[in-house]
Amino acid sequence: MAKIANKIKENPKLMQKKMSDGRQSLYLEYYLGYNKVLDGNGKLKIKHHRKKEFLGLYLFSNPRTPLERQQNKDNLALSLEIRAEKEKALRYEEMGKPNPIKQKINLWDYFQKYLDSYDKKDIRMIEGSLNRFKSFITEYYPKFTDIIKPDQIDRFMVQKFVDYLMTHSTGEGAKSYYSRFKKIIKSAVDKDVMRKNPCDGVTCIAGENVITKDILSVEEYRLLANTPYQNKEIVRAFFTSLFAGYRFCDVKDLKYSDVDYENRIIRIEQNKTKGKSKNSQVVTPLSQTLISFIGYPKRPHDPEELVFDLPSHTGCLKALRTWTRRAGIKKHITWHCARHSFGVALLTGASKVDIKTLSSLLGHSGLKYTERYTRTADVLKKQAIESLPEINLV
């Protein structure tokens, strides 16, 4: 039998592009064929057609730590696996045959690989979303606890999962976890791991009308200030969030180079909306009270000097709960409560800022997000009136 020469080339090819931060972004380049066209001089030219698909996976150009080297190894292995699956799917499509590969994928493995390669700041929420989905499956679909195929997650299951989140979460937790779950599923659809998106048309409206997290009153601000604490850095940072409306990720990354003492402003780029919204940059007036929390740099010529030396988010939450408990505050206080307390305080306090000003101070991309603070303020006012004693005049 004559030997058949293997002239098949990889399609798609795994490529990489250097980013501004020095990392390499991995992507697939598909060759889609060619056609012949006439150029401006009437000559026949061959035009090749290619398509790029970025995988959202990255390599450190010069890995310096064992963790970076391991991440490079894992991301490269996942990229090669995706490339091979895409190539097989492409060949089945060219032959007009159904793709059997999708039926073999265990989504739990895909979810774990997605989590392992995820490098954004909301990784805790991504992990929490997957943990809640795992708990949901264990309770309602125990036969899928170890293996679940792409086509076994349908719209009915997703709707049931949303209902589960709304009964097992407080505040805006259900909506936050579902938005991360949709992000993971969309990734699976984009990579052709799933044929269609089962989240399409399924919404979670928990917490959209009012702020559902507990709010600290101005009196409770004073109560906290007069209560003994364990970590002064955490206290300074939390009060900065109370007086500037910053999220934990923003106050943790706050640098002295962000503080303009001469013009009395703080200018930050919000981590949550960076590169996604034109309102991601927030300018906050620097009051004397904020200066007392922030202080002054110890290394004036170091632009990377952080304002606060904070432990992990978990460590900060534990200290915050101990501190609020000592103060006799029985509310469920998280770091994000400081941002909400700031917004409500500006709407209900003596200054009573307008909604557009508050939206600017919070860095919201639209007024619909800020309107929740207005509705919350109205609810608090109603509660305050209803709490007055009942008086019957004789």
Side-chain angles (χ1 to χ4, degrees), residues 69-113:
R69 286 191 287 273
Q70 185 60 44
Q71 188 171 328
N72 273 11
K73 183 179 177 181
D74 293 343
N75 285 357
L76 183 58
L78 179 57
S79 300
L80 289 170
E81 186 177 333
I82 292 171
R83 191 215 69 77
E85 290 173 358
K86 292 276 190 175
E87 184 174 49
K88 289 178 183 178
L90 196 62
R91 288 182 184 169
Y92 275 103
E93 186 178 324
E94 288 172 351
M95 292 185 290
K97 294 182 178 181
N99 179 12
I101 299 165
K102 293 180 181 178
Q103 306 307 315
K104 297 178 182 180
I105 293 176
N106 184 355
L107 276 180
W108 294 123
D109 294 335
Y110 177 81
F111 291 158
Q112 188 59 51
K113 287 175 181 177

Side-chain angles (χ1 to χ4, degrees), residues 15 64 67 103 111 160 194 230 245 275 311 317 350 368 382:
M15 311 287 282
R64 298 178 181 176
L67 184 63
Q103 306 307 315
F111 291 158
K160 202 168 181 179
M194 301 181 75
Q230 294 174 322
L317 274 185
K368 70 174 183 177
K382 182 181 178 183

Side-chain angles (χ1 to χ4, degrees), residues 5 12 19 53 253 340 352:
M19 301 174 64
E53 179 187 358
D253 290 346
H340 292 327
K352 291 184 181 177

Side-chain angles (χ1 to χ4, degrees), residues 121 176 180 247 249-250 269-274 276 280 336:
K121 295 191 181 238
S176 297
R180 268 63 178 204
R247 299 178 181 89
C249 58
D250 293 324
E269 189 82 18
Q270 297 180 104
N271 283 304
K272 183 178 180 180
T273 56
K274 187 185 296 182
K276 300 177 184 176
S280 63
H336 210 69

Side-chain angles (χ1 to χ4, degrees), residues 110-234:
Y110 177 81
F111 291 158
Q112 188 59 51
K113 287 175 181 177
Y114 181 92
L115 181 62
D116 292 342
S117 64
Y118 197 80
D119 61 353
K120 294 185 173 59
K121 295 191 181 238
D122 64 340
I123 187 169
R124 287 187 312 103
M125 294 299 296
I126 292 287
E127 186 173 15
S129 175
L130 289 175
N131 286 339
R132 277 158 178 76
F133 185 65
K134 185 84 172 179
S135 299
F136 161 74
I137 290 295
T138 301
E139 183 173 344
Y140 290 95
Y141 300 90
K143 65 180 180 180
F144 297 149
T145 301
D146 297 319
I147 299 174
I148 186 167
K149 304 289 181 61
D151 289 343
Q152 288 171 330
I153 298 182
D154 57 19
R155 186 171 172 178
F156 176 78
M157 180 189 285
V158 173
Q159 182 61 66
K160 202 168 181 179
F161 177 50
V162 169
D163 295 339
Y164 174 86
L165 286 175
M166 293 179 70
T167 56
H168 289 74
S169 305
T170 58
E172 298 173 61
K175 186 179 177 183
S176 297
Y177 286 125
Y178 181 53
S179 69
R180 268 63 178 204
F181 180 74
K182 287 196 296 182
K183 185 176 183 179
I184 299 165
I185 294 297
K186 184 179 183 301
S187 165
V189 174
D190 290 344
K191 290 179 171 57
D192 285 337
V193 172
M194 301 181 75
R195 278 195 288 239
K196 59 182 180 179
N197 194 329
C199 297
D200 286 346
V202 181
T203 59
C204 179
I205 59 173
E208 285 194 339
N209 294 324
V210 295
I211 303 299
T212 51
K213 288 185 180 294
D214 283 331
I215 307 294
L216 288 169
S217 65
V218 174
E219 290 73 20
E220 286 168 331
Y221 283 22
R222 297 190 181 98
L223 194 59
L224 281 174
N226 294 319
T227 300
Y229 46 79
Q230 294 174 322
N231 188 316
K232 189 174 182 179
E233 291 293 290
I234 293 174

Side-chain angles (χ1 to χ4, degrees), residues 3 24 31 33 42 52 67 73 82 134 142 162 180 187 214 216 241 258 265-266 304 355 391:
K3 186 177 180 181
Q24 301 287 337
Y31 180 68
K52 293 180 181 179
L67 184 63
K73 183 179 177 181
I82 292 171
K134 185 84 172 179
V162 169
R180 268 63 178 204
S187 165
D214 283 331
L216 288 169
S241 290
D258 298 324
I265 59 172
I266 308 173
E304 298 301 313
I355 191 171
I391 302 293

